[in-house]
Structures are given as structure tokens and as C-alpha cells.
């Protein structure tokens, strides 16, 4: 058996396969399809200091090879999350990564502080959601703002901090470097790409929010490119995502320089995807006689 | 692991039963065995460009054979449903299910029940009618052409409304109720939003409980993505906001629980 | 018959359907499939002051719902172009738009000047090609550089100037405004989105150039979003493109605010696409009883 | 408008003729009627996620019936070619063609000709051999399993090379020529680059003309996108740089015209 475990800022994952925030709830729904014990980590849906109702519907729309979503970070708030979702995930032998959202720097810090003494392994700071008016992507499209919020969050964080980057920027390496300077332990990318769909018969937007975030296989080439660029720009590890639907896809990200990968939209198409990616990666390593997955990280230069 | 599975099913038969309306029987391994009326399945296209599932209600459930019947409308050219309509016997199709809660038959046992369906909301009422032990009145609304109406007639009384007046009452299902002076203790309904709104108002006025099956755009179909919410009148116990997930908390809701 | 003609900076197109630069050569190859007389305009492959050999192969790769290309602006140079390609296109009753590329501002201006007395209707300045090291996107990702080159080009241009924008930016409206300030008569968008594909079995890049430009239906939501944003930011007309493969797709762009549209990658999938888009748009107008296509421009707000 | 068209064709028959090697006969309206040996067609998938054409050479052309035979390798799971291999008689498939130049048969009429094919480069040599009036020697190279070899034998002499030595000469096509002490005045060849390189060197050494069929990734297939170029030894008259388009100027080139 080849070695599948990887290390993210001191946290050892049994394998590099995680879930992408917002596509896997807090794991309960998908636990009916996959054994969460087999995953490297579960990354939860973004959680804020208070419950958020999210956007009006329609919130999702299909696009060629992908989808748009404008959920708008609906979440039950950090209190319910700590009482209900963390205990649920604790029953499994997998790492728990909490995705944090907010409108202001204070909101983010409040949630991060609240999680300091909870049994969670890492925090992922979502400064790249294109579907909310305040917060979100505003921090993620400006390197100075990104560095500043990273510094603030790090003051309160007891767990390693992952900064989640937006692909809606001219230069992703500038953003990754800003996160690194701010003290981020890990960067994850990509969040969704802002898109729009118009219903020509009704002469209106397909999403109530007008724009939404594009995800799924259609965005994979952009995601792989950005992971490759970031891997050559910063020293901290990278969690790669964007369109991963198979072990082959996941390996593209690893070879481009990601230490771990997340499966998002593909869960909706096939709820067994995460498990299949783990199995497929193991099979690839065996077949190609690679002893340790770490040997493949960034091997394509 | 639960009773919901994604499995590759085989088309047993398919026929066109009206303009753009198709009826397909599918052989499943486990989905039919676990299914209830009012539940639905996510149907996947074989086109790598069309990734999201198409939610389709169960029109009939044959537990013995492990078979399901889906009756669906082809919504246009180059759509996923058009692709489904091309599949003949022996073709394969991926389904995820059974999904959602289904109609609470126990709430209607032995009572006088309206089973109301409008347009492509008609199909799920058929299995519901078949499994229900009650005094059943199907009230079915169509634009013009009827479908499935004769199959309902085998299971109880049927009242028809058509928009163009070509059959039954000219108008909608509410008009059919009035014209036939029908009364019921419970309502189960599925159809377009304006119809559900009218039914909800009628049920409130009459003071009778009414369950309605809702529709929303979906991605996961199992309650994880929060794509398909509808507004709830009270703060929901799962979401902790005024949202309920149509795919998981529904698609069937007590009409007073949700905003329409 | 509904009115299909549109006006772009004083140039009247018989209908809004054009070809996207680089996907239609100079029209000769596709004239075996479609009658060029039926198109609003033919936009040529980018042409430089001297012949360019382009990049090594593989130059193209398939991605989900789209493709990557790294042609690298191979072209025979402006002299051959004027002698061979313009006379060919002149035989048709369609507008001729020449796409211009270069490495330096001087290169662009040289080509623009050379075209001043040629029978071409408009010039499209490609400052957004992601596949060449110099020139190209360097101008297209910096608003100051974009404004400057627009001004320079306008000094030499006898025909209306279309500035072609890159989607690889944080804020497309900033770029469109820069082009407008520089004196651009029209903006066209989007050029391709930079992407990468890795061949995991050979542990190498699918394209010799490592990265390529993503195009095709997969990018349409990004393109529609950007056209909508730009339509709300500038007063000059917009040529919309990115994934158009049907009349329905084209109408999304028109309703988002484009005055004309270009068909690119879809030509490769179906060489009759341009004609089918024209026919389909006409049919839509008839069916929806819209007298004039101009009534639909930007109708979704 | 030219002779190239995109048309929807119907599968007449399909069979697996070797490990991952399929042979498909297609009914065309006009493509077969206009086709020459050494030309190819762009074959389109029915999957909206897989948009680019798959270029496949013509293995046989039946002008009378308007039918084409394609022999192709399924390159892996979830590929376009895997999709093609699933199509049975009556299924429909979009083809663009005929594309490219084809072999210049007139250059070889009445001479001693090697028809060399390696691996999945073997199929196009079959129709070439059938149409050529000359002293024909097919030299076919395989990894292990043979395919189509018996059909070549009906049209002239056949010499086989296999990498594992399971049939004919152990080695490659050049080894087969040496082992059988064969001589020719003209060469037509199709196969992997290393094979073409060896053949080009051999032809140069012997001072005989040699036409080779090249492969490159394609998008348009008709010469418009410049995706599929190969390097030419001289400045090309169309491109005005050292590039020729495999899809339009080729796929068949005089070996001395191109860099390998
Ligand atoms: C719980 C539920 C049960 C349903 N039961 C039936 C049924 O029994 N028979 C039937 O004909 N239809 C039913 N529908 C509607 C059916 O899901 C849509 O008509 C279908 O998804 C349209 O897909 P398409 O491929 O034709 O269209 P496309 O335009 O190709 O669809 C694009 C995307 O939009 C989604 N979409 C489009 N229209 C709808 C819609 N009205 N509701 C939800 N998603 C939509 C599709 O699922 C897909 O993701 C049901 C919907 C829901 C939510
Ligand atoms: C002129 C020409 C003639 C050919 N004739 C034949 C033939 O007769 N029989 C046969 O089996 N194969 C032939 N090939 C190779 C054939 O085109 C590829 O094997 C096929 O396109 C692979 O597609 P896929 O769906 O299996 O792979 P995928 O991996 O799904 O293909 C992805 C993309 O890459 C392209 N691609 C992948 N491999 C190749 C390749 N080797 N050459 C060109 N494009 C490739 C595909 O066309 C597609 O656009 C020919 C190639 C060319 C250029
Ligand atoms: C429905 C949906 C909801 C999402 N919600 C969140 C979220 O709450 N926080 C976050 O950081 N990213 C969120 N994302 C982005 C994903 O985590 C991921 O970055 C993106 O979808 C790309 O990966 P994919 O193509 O595999 O889905 C969401 C994506 C989708 C599709
Ligand atoms: C093969 C290829 C070559 C291209 N060459 C050029 C070019 O020379 N100049 C240019 O401005 N854009 C070029 N483009 C970009 C297209 O004109 C267009 O902006 C882009 O492909 C998006 O449209 P589409 O999705 O319809 O292809 C090229 C695109 C492709 C696919
Ligand atoms: S579709 Fe995902 S929550 Fe209902
Ligand atoms: S494939 Fe487009 S030029 Fe050859």
C-alpha cells in the first residue's frame, strides 16, 4: 500500500481528499453515501456569528459542464453549529475543518475566537464568496485587505488558518503572497468564478441574485492553472479544488502543486465521489509504483 | 448508510402519452423497494455538459417488481428531459433516490380526500391515490390534452378541469371543485405555484389540513447544498432561519408551514 | 421580417452575428460551409507587422465543455494579409474587421497604419491574448497600459477601433472604462480565460506552452456576466462573445447588453454555427414579435 | 460550398476486431462519395462535455453504397472513442469530411510500393492498398495482436512485424523490410512518429520518395484554427512561416517537406 497521508501545517490527514465547503453540509447528509472515516477531512459549510438566511431562490442554475450557485451563505450560526454539527463530526475519525464567513473583520474574528476551544482541526476563512454583498469577496480581491484580515484572524485563531482565495482576480499569486505575509498557514483555491445566466424567454436572470458562482468540471482548467501559479509563488501548502470529479482530476491538482484536494460540485452529481477519488488515487499510486503521494506534489514543472 | 442510493437503472419501457409527455418504467435494484408516494428521484443525464439532476416524482411504484414509473414533460429542445425521452427499453439511466418525505397518507386514512394535480403535477397523485385508503376524489387540471386520467379513474372518482374547456370544467381545479360542489376533510396537492396558492387559501377558508408538494431548482437533492429552499412561516428547526429544504424537508409541506 | 441590423460606431452590420478572431481564419475555410454574405462581419485571425510562427504543439486540448488553445498568434504578417486575405473577403457583402496583434505599442501602430488605406471596416486590437510572452495580455491586465495603447492606436487608425478585453482581471469594468477613456469606439469581450491541463500519465502539460486560453460553452456564464457589467459601466457599444453556440446563447449576450456577438469555438464543433445563429435569432424575433433586435439590447437589467 | 460537409450518419455495423480496436461501417449521404484513401473524418461525440472532434482515418470507402469504414482504438475509460464503441447498428453519429489531402496514388501507379502501417496507423493503408494499381507490399507493424492483416493479404503481399515476436518479424516495420530483403520505389506510410522518423531516414538513404501521414491534436479540422501544425522544412506558402497544417495541407506529406 502506497502512503496516502499528507501534512497540512502540522495536521496529518490520512489522505489528501477533503470536501469543498458548502457542498457537503456538515457531513450528515453525505454520511448516508460515504463513510466519513475514509476522508482526509470534512470541510463544513461556511458558518457566521449569527444565522444567515441566504439569498432568494432560484439559487442554483445549470451551465455547460458546471453550475452557478448563489446560496448566499445561509447558515444556522455558530451556536447551533457548535452544539449540533461539531459533535456529529467528532464521531468520525476524520479531520474537521470549519469554513468561516462574515460581513466584517469583527464577525470573522468572533467566530474564530468562539471556535478556539472547540475540537476542530483547522479553520478555513472564506474571503472569496461572490454571492454576498458585504464581506466575502471584498476581502478576497484586494491584497492589502486580505493581508490585514489574515493578520487579525491569526490573532484569535488557536487552529491553523487556511485562507480561501477567489479566482476573480488579475493575479492569483499576489493574493496568495498577501495571505502568506498575513500569516496564513495554508491557502485553498479556487472558490467559485462569478458568472451569470439569462433566461431569454422570460427576459430575466436565471438566479434571483443575478450573478452566481460558477463551479464544477467547467472551471477545472482555471483552477489547475491557479494552483500551479500559487505553488510557484508561496511556501505554504495548498488545498486545490475546482471541478474535481475523479481521481484523475485530483491528481492533476496534486501534480500542479496541491498538497490536498477538495471535492465540491461533483458530490451533487455522484454522492460517492469523495470515496471514489480516494480509491482511484490509491489505485493510481499502486499502478505507477509511487510509494508516497507526497512524491507527486508539484511534480509537473 | 441509508436507504437513499444512486444506482444505474434499466428502462423497461417508454411511451409518449401526450404532447411532450412521456411515461417511463424503470427497473431498479433498491429504490422502488424503499419508495413512498410523493417522493421523487434525481435523474441524471448521460451528457457531460448537463450535470445537475432532474428531479422527477414517482408516478407509480411497483415494489414487487422493483420498478418505478416516471411521467415527465420534455421542456424543450436540447434539454435533459429530451434526452430521457429518447431512451428505449434496455437503455440505462442513473437515478438517486428515493428522495424527500412523500405524502403523509396516515393523515388521510378513512377520510374524504381531494387528490389535486395540475399539469405536470398530476403524475405523483396517481401512486398517492393508489396507496391511500380513503374516500378519494382526484381533481385534475390540464391546459388542454388529458393524460393519466383514465388510470386515476380506476382508483376513485375523477374530476377534470381544462383551461380551454375541452374536457370537464372549463377553468382550473378550484373551478372543478365549485362546479361539482365537492367537499373534503384533507387535501393532497401538487402543481404550479398559483394553483397551490389557491388551494392553500381554500383550505384555510374551509379549515381543513392541506399538504402540498413544492418545486424548486435543485443541486444535491439530499439537503446538503441549500439550493432548493422555500420560505417557512416559522424559523425552521434545522436551518434556524425561515428556510426549509424542498428536497429533504419536503417536497411535501403542510400548506401553513410555508410561504407561497 | 424583424429588423436585424445593428450599428457599431457608425458601421452598419446587416445582423449582429460576427466571427471570433482566430477561430475562422480569414473566412476562406469556412466559406465552404457558410455563405459569408449572410454574416454581419468576419473578424480575421490576429495579424502582426511580420509573420509569427506561433507556439510549439500540442496547441489545443479538450476540457469539459470547452477547450484550451495556445496557438501563440501564428500569422503570415500584414503584407501577405493585405495581398491575399483582404481581397478574398472583399468579394463578400459583409463587414471586414481585422484583428491586430503585436509585441510592442509600435508593432500595433505599424499594423494599424498599414491598414489605414485598406478596405477594412473596423480594427480589433487584441491586447488580451494569454498565449504570447510579450505584448498581448500585458496591456490587457493593466488599465493604465490599456488606456495608453488605445490612445496611441487611435492616433493611427482611420477605422473605428474595437479594444478586445481580457477576462483575466479582477474588475472588467475598470478595463472597459480605461479603453473608453483612451478613445476606443467599441469594446469586445471576452478573450480566453487562462487555464492549464495536466496529463497525469505522462506527468506533463497537455499543451506545449503549459498554459492556454479556455474558450467554448464552459466559459459562457463568465462572459455573459462581464458583458452585463461592462454594459452598465461604459457608453460605447459592446461585442459579446465566449461560448456562443446557438441563437439562444447569442440572445443571452444581447439581452445582457451586447450590440453584436461573435461565434468562436463553436465553429469547430459545427461549421454551420454562424448561419444557424443568424437564422435562430430571426426566428426568435418573429416568434416573440420583436420588431427590431435593437429593442433587446440590454433589456435584462 | 465545397465537398466537405458535416452530416449525421447512421451506423451500419460495429464489431470489436482486437483488444480495444473497433471497426465501424457508417452510412453517409455524401462523404463517402467524395472521399479518397488517406483522408480522414472528424467524428463528434454526443457528449456536451466533449466538444472537439476525433480525427479518424478512412479505412475503407464503399462509394457505391456511400459507406465508410473506420477502424479505431478506444484510448481509455470515459473517452470519446469509448463512446463510439458503444454505438450499435442504427445509431447516429455526426461526421465532418472528407478532410485532408490523402495519399497521392498517381505518384505510385505501376511502381514497387511499400504500404507501411504501424499500430493504429494500419487502417488507412487498407483503402490505399485497395485503390493503388502497382506492385504492392504491405508492411504492417503491431505490438502483439494482429488486426486487418488478412484483409491486406487479399490486395497484395503482406509482411508483418510484431514487437513481441508473436507473428512475423520480431521488431518493427524496418526490421521486417530488412529481414525479408524488400525493395521499393515509393513509400506510403502511417504510424507513430518514431516509426515515421525511421522510414524517412530509410527513404532518404535509398533516395526514394516517401509520403507519410502525420498526427496532431486538432480543433477545426479544416485549416482555420492553426491548432494542428507540424514544422515544415521550408517556409510554407500558406502560413509564410515554417508551419503546415496537418488537417488541411496534410495529413499526408512528402517526408522531406516536414520535420519529424
Ligand atoms: C420535487 C420535484 C418533482 C418533480 N416532478 C416532476 C415530474 O414528475 N414530472 C415532470 O415532468 N417534472 C417534474 N418536476 C420538474 C422537473 O424537475 C423539470 O421539468 C426538469 O428538471 C427540467 O429539466 P430539463 O432537462 O427538461 O430542462 P433544462 O432546461 O435542461 O434544465 C436545466 C436545469 O434546470 C432544472 N430545472 C428546469 N426546470 C425545472 C423545474 N421546473 N423544477 C426544478 N428544476 C428545474 C433542471 O433540473 C436542470 O438542473 C419536478 C420538480 C421537482 C422539484
Ligand atoms: C489525421 C488523423 C487520423 C487518425 N486516424 C485514426 C484512426 O484511423 N484510428 C484511430 O484509432 N485513431 C486515429 N487517430 C488518432 C485519434 O484521433 C485519437 O486516438 C482520438 O482522437 C482520441 O480520442 P479519444 O476520445 O479516445 O481520447 P480523449 O482523451 O477523450 O481525447 C481528448 C481530445 O484529444 C484528442 N486526441 C487524443 N489523442 C489524440 C491523438 N493521438 N491524435 C489526435 N488527437 C488526439 C481528441 O481528438 C480529443 O480532442 C488519428 C489522428 C489524426 C490526427
Ligand atoms: C452550492 C455551493 C455552495 C458553496 N458554499 C461555500 C461556502 O459556504 N464557503 C466557501 O468557502 N465556499 C463555498 N463554495 C465553493 C466551493 O467550496 C468550491 O470552492 C467551489 O465550488 C469549487 O469547487 P468545485 O468545482 O469542486 O465545486 C460553494 C460552492 C457551491 C457549489
Ligand atoms: C483557436 C483560437 C484562436 C484564437 N485566436 C485569437 C486571435 O488571434 N485574436 C484574438 O483576439 N482572439 C483570439 N481567440 C479568442 C476568440 O476570438 C474568443 O475571444 C474566445 O475564444 C471566446 O469565444 P468562444 O468561446 O466563442 O471561442 C482565439 C480563440 C481560439 C479558440
Ligand atoms: S437540492 Fe441541495 S439542499 Fe435541496
Ligand atoms: S485543426 Fe484547425 S487548422 Fe488543423
Amino acid at each position: 500500500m502506497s502512503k496516502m497521508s499528507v501534512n497540512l501545517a502540522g495536521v496529518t490527514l490520512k489522505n489528501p481528499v477533503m470536501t469543498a465547503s458548502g457542498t457537503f453540509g456538515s457531513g450528515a447528509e453525505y454520511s448516508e453515501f460515504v463513510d466519513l472515516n475514509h476522508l482526509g477531512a470534512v470541510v463544513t459549510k461556511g458558518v457566521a456569528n449569527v444565522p444567515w438566511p441566504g439569498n432568494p431562490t432560484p439559487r442554483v442554475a445549470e451551465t455547460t459542464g458546471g453550475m452557478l450557485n448563489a446560496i448566499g451563505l445561509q447558515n444556522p450560526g455558530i451556536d447551533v453549529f457548535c452544539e449540533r454539527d461539531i459533535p456529529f463530526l467528532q464521531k468520525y475519525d476524520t479531520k474537521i475543518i470549519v469554513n468561516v464567513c462574515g460581513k466584517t473583520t469583527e464577525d470573522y474574528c468572533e467566530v474564530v475566537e468562539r471556535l478556539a476551544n472547540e475540537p476542530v482541526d483547522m479553520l478555513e476563512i472564506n474571503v472569496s464568496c461572490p454571492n454576498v454583498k458585504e464581506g466575502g469577496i471584498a476581502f478576497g480581491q484586494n491584497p492589502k485587505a486580505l493581508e490585514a484580515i489574515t493578520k487579525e484572524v491569526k490573532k484569535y485563531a488557536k487552529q491553523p488558518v487556511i485562507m480561501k482565495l477567489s479566482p476573480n482576480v488579475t493575479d492569483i499569486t499576489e493574493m496568495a503572497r498577501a495571505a502568506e505575509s498575513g500569516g496564513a498557514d495554508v491557502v485553498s483555491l479556487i472558490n467559485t468564478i462569478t458568472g451569470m445566466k439569462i433566461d431569454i424567454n422570460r427576459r430575466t436572470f436565471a438566479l434571483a441574485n443575478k450573478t452566481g458562482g460558477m463551479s464544477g468540471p467547467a472551471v477545472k482548467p482555471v483552477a489547475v492553472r491557479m494552483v500551479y501559479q500559487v505553488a510557484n509563488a508561496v511556501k505554504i501548502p495548498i488545498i486545490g479544488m475546482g471541478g474535481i470529479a475523479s481521481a484523475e482530476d485530483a491528481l492533476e491538482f496534486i501534480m500542479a502543486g496541491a498538497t490536498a484536494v477538495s471535492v465540491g460540485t461533483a458530490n451533487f452529481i455522484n454522492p460517492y465521489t469523495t470515496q471514489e477519488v480516494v480509491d482511484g488515487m490509491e489505485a493510481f499510486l499502486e499502478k505507477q509504483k509511487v510509494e508516497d503521494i507526497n512524491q507527486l506534489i508539484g511534480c509537473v514543472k | 448508510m441509508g436507504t437513499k442510493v444512486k444506482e444505474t437503472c434499466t428502462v423497461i419501457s417508454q411511451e409518449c402519452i401526450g404532447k411532450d409527455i412521456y411515461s417511463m418504467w424503470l427497473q431498479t435494484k433498491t429504490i422502488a423497494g424503499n419508495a413512498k408516494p410523493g417522493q421523487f428521484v434525481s435523474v441524471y443525464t448521460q451528457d457531460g455538459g448537463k450535470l445537475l439532476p432532474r428531479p422527477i416524482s414517482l408516478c407509480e411504484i411497483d415494489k414487487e417488481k422493483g420498478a418505478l414509473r416516471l411521467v415527465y414533460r420534455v421542456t424543450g429542445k436540447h434539454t435533459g428531459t429530451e434526452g430521457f425521452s429518447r431512451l428505449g427499453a434496455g437503455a440505462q439511466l442513473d437515478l438517486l433516490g428515493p428522495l424527500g418525505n412523500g405524502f403523509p397518507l396516515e393523515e388521510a386514512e378513512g377520510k374524504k380526500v381531494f387528490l389535486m394535480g395540475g399539469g405536470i403535477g398530476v403524475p405523483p397523485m396517481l401512486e398517492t391515490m393508489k396507496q391511500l385508503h380513503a374516500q378519494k376524489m382526484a381533481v385534475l387540471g390540464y391546459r388542454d390534452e388529458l393524460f393519466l386520467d383514465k388510470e386515476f379513474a380506476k382508483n376513485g372518482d375523477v374530476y377534470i378541469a381544462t383551461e380551454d374547456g375541452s374536457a370537464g370544467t372549463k377553468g382550473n381545479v378550484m373551478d372543478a371543485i365549485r362546479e361539482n360542489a365537492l367537499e373534503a376533510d384533507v387535501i393532497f396537492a401538487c402543481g404550479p405555484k398559483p394553483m397551490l396558492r389557491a388551494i392553500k387559501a381554500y383550505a384555510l377558508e374551509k379549515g381543513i389540513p392541506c399538504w402540498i408538494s413544492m418545486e424548486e431548482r435543485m443541486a444535491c437533492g439530499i439537503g446538503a447544498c441549500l439550493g432548493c429552499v422555500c420560505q417557512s412561516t416559522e424559523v425552521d428547526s434545522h436551518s434556524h432561519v425561515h428556510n426549509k429544504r424542498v428536497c429533504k424537508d419536503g417536497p411535501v409541506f403542510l400548506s401553513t408551514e410555508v410561504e407561497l
Side-chain angles (χ1 to χ4, degrees), chain A, chain B:
Chain A
M1 271 276 289
S2 310
K3 184 169 170 287
M4 283 279 280
S5 75
V6 295
N7 184 298
L8 279 180
V11 179
T12 301
L13 274 57
K14 65 173 66 153
N15 64 55
V17 182
M18 331 195 323
T19 62
S21 175
T23 66
F24 211 75
S26 287
E29 291 81 10
Y30 281 100
S31 70
E32 295 192 48
F33 298 92
V34 287
D35 183 347
L36 304 185
N37 294 303
H38 295 178
L39 304 184
V42 170
V43 183
T44 68
K45 170 79 187 161
V47 62
N49 53 342
V50 293
W52 286 13
N55 288 323
T57 57
R59 289 180 172 184
V60 293
E62 189 176 62
T63 68
T64 303
M67 65 176 284
L68 293 172
N69 92 78
I71 308 296
L73 293 175
Q74 177 186 327
N75 77 85
I78 187 67
D79 291 335
V80 173
F81 183 82
C82 290
E83 280 157 37
R84 180 184 67 191
D85 296 7
I86 297 180
F88 170 80
L89 283 170
Q90 264 193 291
K91 292 185 297 185
Y92 296 91
D93 175 23
T94 187
K95 299 297 170 190
I96 304 174
I97 303 183
V98 179
N99 183 276
V100 176
C101 57
K103 296 192 167 96
T104 63
T105 305
E106 291 68 42
D107 288 355
Y108 284 98
C109 291
E110 188 182 333
V111 178
V112 167
E113 196 170 17
R114 179 82 172 71
L115 288 166
N117 298 315
E118 292 287 336
V120 311
D121 298 288
M122 302 182 88
L123 308 175
E124 183 181 54
I125 311 301
N126 177 8
V127 285
S128 43
C129 179
N131 301 323
V132 292
K133 295 231 159 43
E134 303 146 286
I137 206 163
F139 294 106
Q141 290 188 317
N142 178 331
K144 292 220 178 70
L146 179 61
E147 185 174 340
I149 193 170
T150 308
K151 276 194 182 141
E152 276 304 298
V153 162
K154 278 295 288 181
K155 283 189 198 156
Y156 296 89
K158 287 269 169 58
Q159 296 92 347
V161 167
I162 306 162
M163 295 305 289
K164 183 157 179 184
L165 305 182
S166 168
N168 299 292
V169 295
T170 306
D171 183 359
I172 192 75
T173 64
E174 188 188 20
M175 302 307 295
R177 275 190 298 257
E180 189 178 42
S181 315
D185 301 288
V186 178
V187 284
S188 61
L189 63 154
I190 60 174
N191 208 316
T192 54
I193 307 180
T194 310
M196 177 181 281
K197 183 175 174 178
I198 287 177
D199 180 334
I200 61 165
N201 292 309
R202 297 191 303 125
R203 295 192 202 170
T204 179
F205 303 97
L207 296 177
N209 189 51
K210 297 189 183 179
T211 58
M214 189 161 91
S215 62
V219 309
K220 195 184 64 174
V222 177
V224 172
R225 181 260 295 181
M226 289 190 165
V227 165
Y228 178 82
Q229 288 178 306
V230 169
N232 288 288
V234 298
K235 296 211 174 59
I236 52 178
I238 298 167
I239 301 166
M241 74 194 88
I244 296 176
S246 68
E248 289 73 24
D249 294 338
L251 286 159
E252 275 197 67
F253 283 84
I254 302 266
M255 291 186 186
T259 298
V261 294
S262 293
V263 175
T265 302
N267 291 304
F268 306 156
I269 304 152
N270 171 9
Y272 309 107
T273 307
T274 46
Q275 179 70 63
E276 288 176 11
V277 170
V278 174
D279 295 345
M281 284 174 76
E282 273 175 359
F284 181 89
L285 295 187
E286 296 292 331
K287 199 174 153 211
Q288 301 244 331
K289 300 194 178 28
V290 179
E291 271 165 38
D292 184 343
I293 184 85
N294 288 279
Q295 290 165 10
L296 295 183
I297 298 172
C299 72
V300 173
K301 300 268 177 214
Chain B
M1 315 272 144
T3 57
K4 297 187 195 103
V5 296
K6 183 173 182 203
E7 57 169 75
T8 301
C9 301
T10 307
V11 176
I12 299 170
S13 64
Q14 166 129 261
E15 62 177 320
C16 181
I17 61 167
K19 186 170 176 313
D20 295 328
I21 309 283
Y22 287 79
S23 165
M24 176 159 59
W25 274 99
L26 286 157
Q27 183 61 49
T28 75
K29 289 184 208 80
T30 72
I31 299 178
N34 294 319
K36 294 191 302 182
Q39 288 190 303
F40 67 97
V41 286
S42 276
V43 189
Y44 293 85
T45 77
Q46 269 114 332
D47 182 337
K50 294 190 168 72
L51 295 171
L52 294 184
R54 275 59 182 161
I56 306 285
S57 298
L58 305 178
C59 173
E60 285 191 80
I61 305 165
D62 185 334
K63 294 212 187 229
E64 251 168 59
K65 293 199 187 133
L68 289 177
R69 184 186 190 187
L70 306 181
V71 170
Y72 62 97
R73 167 175 287 148
V74 172
T75 65
K77 285 227 172 298
H78 311 301
T79 58
T81 47
E82 188 192 45
F84 302 153
S85 73
R86 294 229 190 80
L87 300 175
Q92 303 210 306
L93 199 59
D94 283 351
L95 296 194
L96 172 67
L99 302 177
N101 54 0
F103 283 103
L105 300 184
E106 64 286 0
E107 302 279 355
E109 295 286 320
K111 303 193 178 154
K112 278 172 74 176
V113 188
F114 284 157
L115 296 143
M116 304 177 76
I120 204 60
V122 165
M125 306 320 295
L126 181 57
E127 184 66 27
T128 309
M129 188 165 190
K130 283 176 68 178
Q131 291 201 18
L132 185 64
H133 301 286
Q135 189 187 327
K136 300 174 277 191
M137 292 163 278
V139 190
L140 310 176
Y142 302 89
R143 177 161 313 181
D144 38 37
E145 197 189 4
L146 310 187
F147 57 87
L148 292 179
D149 53 305
K150 296 203 180 62
E151 309 192 34
F152 278 90
K154 290 184 198 147
N155 295 283
D157 296 335
V158 176
Y159 302 89
I160 304 282
T162 53
E163 283 177 32
D164 69 352
S166 57
T169 304
K170 182 173 163 70
N172 60 32
V173 284
M174 296 312 307
D175 297 319
I177 287 179
R178 275 185 287 266
E179 189 170 285
N180 295 289
L182 305 176
E183 298 274 348
D185 309 321
V186 180
I187 301 178
F188 288 162
C190 183
K193 230 177 210 176
M195 167 180 136
L196 296 182
R197 239 181 244 128
I199 295 175
K200 175 176 174 173
Y202 170 85
L204 269 180
E205 186 196 304
K206 296 278 174 184
I208 59 176
C210 166
W211 279 268
I212 57 180
S213 180
M214 306 268 287
E215 233 184 57
E216 194 43 79
R217 301 291 160 135
M218 296 185 177
C220 71
I222 61 168
C225 76
L226 310 181
C228 68
V229 298
C230 62
Q231 266 192 282
S232 53
T233 35
E234 308 286 326
V235 167
D236 174 61
S237 66
H238 178 82
S239 74
H240 288 259
V241 292
H242 284 83
N243 281 339
K244 285 181 182 290
R245 297 162 297 178
V246 170
C247 70
K248 173 124 181 169
D249 307 318
V252 177
F253 295 99
L254 192 59
S255 66
T256 49
E257 279 181 321
V258 291
E259 307 280 356
L260 278 170

